[in-house]
Each structure stands twice: as C-alpha cells, then as structure tokens.
Amino acid sequence: MLDSIVWVITNIGLSFYNVGYALVHAGLWLDWINGLDDTEAKQSLMRFIYYGGSTEFFFVVFTAFAALTIVGMLRRQVMWATVRGLEWFANTVGRIAAWAGLLMVLQQILIVFLQRIFRVPDITFGPFAPFGYRLWDGWFLISRDLSWWSEELKLY
C-alpha cells in the first residue's frame, strides 16, 4: 500500500518535469508532421502515440486538473473562466457535429430522391452542374455513382 502511495506522489511530482521536457524537446515527438519519410519521423510518431497512452501523460493531465481545481476553489474568477471556456469548446464541437449530421441527412435525402424518383445513376457537383446535369467538364467537377455517395455515408 505504501509503495502505491509513493508511486502516485512520485508521478505527480514528475509530471511537471515531463511536461517541461516534452515542451522543450518538441522536435523529438513532432518530427512526423512533415511526413513519414525517414526512420526518425516514424520513431517520433511512435513517441507521440506512446505518450498519449502512457502513465506520464495521465499524471500530467491529472496534476493539471487537480491544480486547476485547487486554484478555482481559491479564486472564483479562474473557475468561472474555465467553465466558460469548456462551454465554448463543447458548443463549438456540438455545432460542428450538428452541421455534419444535417449534411449527412441532406445527402441521404438527395440519394433517395435521385435514385428512386428521378432514376439518375450518378450525382454531379460543381459550378457548371446545376441540378446534377453536366454542362461543362471542368477539373473541379465531382461526378460519382450513387452507390459511391451512399457508401461514403457509411464511412462517416
């Protein structure tokens, strides 16, 4: 039992060092952003993946949460600003998800109408494709089979 308590306290203390080391040595774990062309980039991606699921990252997040809670209990402005920030983040994510859901529903309605009512084999999008009819074959014209669009919904 004592070993577990010492382990938790040690990891809480080391979390400050771990976040400082990660910020100072960002090149060790962010080298993969430019591509996975060499071995160093692949190793840095594995460092990034490992750190996201490690006990070190857990204790960094746990210590930050505990410190924010303690500071928030001492100063109400900090807790209120945290609540407003988290609500802004949740509202933004919720709105993006709602718009994505609406676009998926509209895509499904378009697929059903074109496939069942108008008997069209494909959907064409682009500035010169009003109502799905191709007037000009430009490089920014998207034309796919209806089954492709419905399979895309499964991907979402």
Side-chain angles (χ1 to χ4, degrees):
M1 179 74 177
L2 187 61
D3 288 340
S4 300
I5 294 171
V6 169
W7 179 77
V8 168
I9 292 172
T10 303
N11 278 317
I12 288 174
L14 284 175
S15 67
F16 296 104
Y17 168 77
N18 288 334
V19 76
Y21 187 84
L23 291 176
V24 171
H25 297 91
L28 287 176
W29 55 278
L30 286 179
D31 192 29
W32 58 273
I33 291 178
N34 295 329
L36 296 173
D37 299 332
D38 53 351
T39 307
E40 290 83 18
K42 293 176 184 175
Q43 288 175 351
S44 69
L45 177 62
M46 288 311 298
R47 280 190 202 99
F48 181 76
I49 292 170
Y50 168 76
Y51 191 67
S54 65
T55 56
E56 292 90 356
F57 183 68
F58 170 77
F59 278 105
V60 165
V61 171
F62 176 76
T63 305
F65 179 76
L68 186 62
T69 303
I70 292 169
V71 171
M73 288 181 181
L74 297 176
R75 296 191 151 249
R76 296 183 94 164
Q77 299 88 1
V78 173
M79 189 62 78
W80 183 243
T82 303
V83 167
R84 283 192 337 229
L86 289 174
E87 283 185 0
W88 170 81
F89 177 73
N91 285 336
T92 303
V93 170
R95 286 181 180 150
I96 290 170
W99 278 106
L102 177 67
L103 290 175
M104 287 171 57
V105 167
L106 292 175
Q107 181 177 344
Q108 183 65 38
I109 291 170
L110 186 69
I111 289 169
V112 169
F113 269 83
L114 288 174
Q115 192 173 27
R116 298 291 179 204
I117 296 173
F118 298 111
R119 304 288 185 188
V120 176
D122 61 350
I123 299 176
T124 304
F125 287 114
F128 294 104
F131 308 111
Y133 294 107
R134 215 179 290 178
L135 298 178
W136 180 71
D137 285 333
W139 59 270
F140 45 88
L141 194 66
I142 299 172
S143 182
R144 300 275 193 257
D145 188 42
L146 275 176
S147 62
W148 187 89
W149 294 102
S150 58
E151 293 295 324
E152 184 186 37
L153 285 174
K154 290 180 189 176
L155 176 67
Y156 296 156

